Amino acid sequence: MRLDNLLAQEKISRKAMKQALLKGEILVDGCPARSLAQNIDTGLQELLFQGRIIQGYEHTYLMLHKPAGVVTANKDKELPTVMDLLPPDIRPDKLYAVGRLDRDTTGLLLLTDNGPLGFQLLHPQYHVDKTYQVEVNGLLTPDHIQAFQKGIVFLDGTACKPARLEILSASPSFSQASITISEGKFHQVKKMFLSVGVKVTSLKRTHFGPWSLDDHLKEGDYRPLNSQELANIRKFLRKSG
């Protein structure tokens, strides 16, 4: 939650907030707040306003192993959504997915009610890498690795940032690879492989920034983030504002 919104819930005036900010009297984990727009989670961080502890809103952070056949949306008139996989008691109406996975793409999806954090994780400024396991219907070669490193250009002229391609197995009709990208263009991974002459037949996201898909999490299942994963959330919170 934005710092100013959190303090407003404590009936603190905008003027008092600005004055305290300038005097260094708003502390987040012991450090002066940088901005009233700073993203704060008092469940993960200690917030002091002029020496007084502020107990605000504690956000929710979940890891979901998205299965194929469900859409990354809160509601859909025709198709099941990732929110349909959650029980009502965790208030899925307040959650949303950080980024999207195509209907037929599986793997790691982060869910949260911390809107500013989701925006931050998707913003190009922060260069959050995303890694996928890919299967394609043709041969991948070292030339493809170089092409991805250089930056794929789509047929319409759209240029992609350099990406890291690791070939795991290769044959004329079937190859497996791992690809890491730092942006999120529409159907980007599929279009990148089409641009080099092969079609993606299976796509699974295994990593999103510092978060890795839990190997013990079955498709369709979810869990709260563990302490180390929450520590990574805290690092991004410190960069906000």
Side-chain angles (χ1 to χ4, degrees):
M1 179 180 291
R2 281 176 55 116
L3 176 57
D4 53 359
N5 292 337
L6 197 157
L7 294 177
Q9 292 183 351
E10 298 293 313
K11 309 302 182 182
I12 298 171
S13 71
R14 185 78 179 181
K15 181 179 179 180
M17 293 180 204
K18 291 181 178 179
Q19 291 176 341
L21 182 71
L22 291 173
K23 293 179 181 178
E25 295 176 341
I26 306 177
L27 301 181
V28 181
D29 286 339
C31 298
R34 298 182 300 277
S35 164
L36 291 178
Q38 191 168 340
N39 188 15
I40 304 295
D41 183 344
T42 55
L44 299 176
Q45 299 167 292
E46 181 184 68
L47 174 62
L48 295 178
F49 182 85
Q50 297 177 332
R52 175 165 65 97
I53 294 178
I54 303 297
Q55 296 288 353
Y57 187 82
E58 182 174 346
H59 288 286
T60 298
Y61 306 97
L62 304 176
M63 176 184 295
L64 173 74
H65 189 167
K66 180 190 172 298
V70 299
V71 294
T72 308
N74 282 50
K75 295 180 181 180
D76 191 279
K77 294 181 179 179
E78 299 179 359
L79 301 170
T81 74
V82 292
M83 297 304 169
D84 293 330
L85 301 173
L86 306 177
D89 63 307
I90 65 169
R91 301 187 69 182
D93 59 308
K94 300 294 183 181
L95 299 173
Y96 75 98
V98 180
R100 298 177 62 86
L101 291 177
D102 297 341
R103 180 184 174 188
D104 57 347
T105 300
T106 65
L108 173 59
L109 198 61
L110 297 179
L111 305 176
T112 184
D113 57 354
N114 189 334
L117 177 71
F119 177 82
Q120 180 182 358
L121 292 174
L122 297 174
H123 197 283
Q125 172 186 346
Y126 295 96
H127 306 290
V128 177
D129 288 344
K130 295 165 279 288
T131 300
Y132 298 81
Q133 290 181 352
V134 186
E135 295 179 359
V136 299
N137 66 350
L139 181 65
L140 292 176
T141 71
D143 288 341
H144 293 129
I145 295 177
Q146 295 180 8
F148 277 70
Q149 287 177 338
K150 183 179 179 181
I152 296 295
V153 179
F154 298 154
L155 296 177
D156 64 3
T158 300
C160 298
K161 292 181 180 179
R164 185 170 66 252
L165 177 67
E166 179 184 0
I167 300 173
L168 304 177
S169 66
S171 72
S173 60
F174 176 78
S175 297
Q176 294 176 308
S178 172
I179 178 176
T180 300
I181 62 175
S182 62
E183 52 189 345
K185 293 181 172 62
F186 185 64
H187 293 315
Q188 180 173 342
V189 173
K190 294 177 180 178
K191 290 181 178 179
M192 292 174 79
F193 282 97
L194 281 176
S195 296
V196 298
V198 293
K199 181 180 179 180
V200 171
T201 57
S202 177
L203 187 61
K204 178 181 181 179
R205 184 159 69 191
T206 58
H207 296 79
F208 185 94
W211 299 281
S212 303
L213 180 63
D214 187 338
D215 292 335
H216 298 97
L217 204 59
K218 297 180 180 179
E219 288 191 11
D221 287 349
Y222 73 96
R223 65 163 174 78
L225 297 192
N226 61 35
S227 59
Q228 181 55 55
E229 292 160 346
L230 289 173
N232 288 324
I233 293 285
R234 192 180 295 111
K235 291 178 182 178
F236 278 91
L237 292 173
R238 289 172 182 164
K239 298 176 184 178
S240 68

